[in-house]
Amino acid sequence: SQELEQSPQSLIVQEGKNLTINCTSSKTLYGLYWYKQKYGEGLIFLMMLQKGGEEKSHEKITAKLDEKKQQSSLHITASQPSHAGIYLCGADWNYGGSQGNLIFGKGTKLSVKP
Amino acid sequence: DAGVTQSPTHLIKTRGQQVTLRCSPKSGHDTVSWYQQALGQGPQFIFQYYEEEERQRGNFPDRFSGHQFPNYSSELNVNALLLGDSALYLCASSLAAGALTDTQYFGPGTRLTVL
């Protein structure tokens, strides 16, 4: 069974609309990474969360980690065509921090209609 | 400041052949991790190299091997290629702090097709 679930699998939004992507873990997260990937290309680092209740923002993208450290959400405000791509969450389940072997979800494919 | 670079960008091989993929880490990074990403899936961890040794390994057979050089660059070797080895191979670099690693930065990947 998949231990890191992302939802939705795909999303089509109108430009200017807000959207949320969720990442749910079956185990406590000691690090949660959000990456963006253009089709067939490498991953672009967005944000990393470690503490329960933590929230980080970069431009119009905000990521949160819940208090129990088992769920994270990525929120995009006023979406633009440049936000289109595949969003991946990566989990670090190693107590004490990153030992480098991230477990990834299957990704959420975001399309933004102009 | 050069980011993570990988070569080649694309590669086509036939079953049973061997392949070598190359990665140069981001400047200042000393740790290299390799991931395999099949179509429609998230990346899967293959192994990690630090101080020229394999430090961690995911659930991949011995056909997958690697090497890290003194300048921190790394190679991924796959022997006896199978059709199922067709994937995007991603290299990620980071800076180690003892047993831990900092945020991983990914290269553009090498697309391997096995016919």
Side-chain angles (χ1 to χ4, degrees):
Chain A
S1 63
Q2 186 73 14
E3 295 177 314
L4 195 66
E5 294 279 352
Q6 279 189 244
S7 63
Q9 290 184 359
S10 65
L11 197 52
I12 302 173
V13 299
Q14 198 69 38
E15 182 176 359
K17 295 294 186 184
N18 302 336
L19 64 106
T20 299
I21 298 169
N22 293 302
C23 178
T24 302
S25 171
S26 58
K27 300 187 280 190
T28 300
L29 293 159
Y30 292 100
L32 190 285
Y33 296 75
W34 283 102
Y35 289 88
K36 178 185 174 184
Q37 184 178 31
K38 291 285 190 182
Y39 180 74
E41 298 181 7
L43 278 62
I44 299 167
F45 171 73
L46 296 174
M47 276 170 278
M48 187 266 281
L49 305 164
Q50 284 187 305
K51 300 176 183 176
E54 188 175 10
E55 180 175 321
K56 288 187 178 178
S57 294
H58 175 67
E59 297 178 345
K60 294 185 178 180
I61 301 177
T62 300
K64 301 178 186 180
L65 182 62
D66 74 338
E67 289 287 347
K68 292 185 178 180
K69 301 206 302 182
Q70 285 196 267
Q71 186 167 25
S72 178
S73 60
L74 185 82
H75 185 77
I76 299 177
T77 304
S79 59
Q80 300 169 356
S82 61
H83 287 128
I86 300 169
Y87 288 82
L88 290 154
C89 63
D92 185 345
W93 288 319
N94 297 293
Y95 177 74
S98 178
Q99 293 180 17
N101 53 337
L102 297 181
I103 306 299
F104 284 90
K106 290 188 177 182
T108 294
K109 184 179 178 182
L110 171 64
S111 301
V112 180
K113 287 186 171 181
Chain B
D1 176 23
V4 181
T5 59
Q6 291 186 244
S7 63
T9 53
H10 295 85
L11 205 50
I12 299 175
K13 293 284 187 178
T14 56
R15 280 179 297 175
Q17 284 190 312
Q18 177 262 344
V19 69
T20 297
L21 310 181
R22 296 176 176 81
C23 171
S24 290
K26 182 178 167 66
S27 178
H29 285 182
D30 57 8
T31 303
V32 173
S33 301
W34 287 92
Y35 291 80
Q36 179 195 66
Q37 186 178 25
L39 202 60
Q41 303 293 316
Q44 281 195 290
F45 176 77
I46 303 175
F47 44 53
Q48 181 183 84
Y49 276 84
Y50 171 67
E51 292 189 339
E52 301 180 48
E53 289 190 357
E54 184 181 291
R55 187 160 77 164
Q56 293 189 83
R57 190 178 183 92
N59 190 25
F60 278 80
D62 292 345
R63 297 186 298 108
F64 289 77
S65 63
H67 188 77
Q68 186 180 35
F69 298 93
N71 67 352
Y72 307 122
S73 66
S74 176
E75 287 182 350
L76 164 66
N77 301 293
V78 187
N79 294 323
L81 285 167
L82 303 174
L83 294 179
D85 294 332
S86 295
L88 181 67
Y89 287 84
L90 296 162
C91 167
S93 75
S94 53
L95 182 62
L100 307 178
T101 64
D102 202 351
T103 300
Q104 294 182 50
Y105 292 87
F106 285 77
T110 293
R111 171 71 62 188
L112 172 65
T113 302
V114 182
L115 302 176

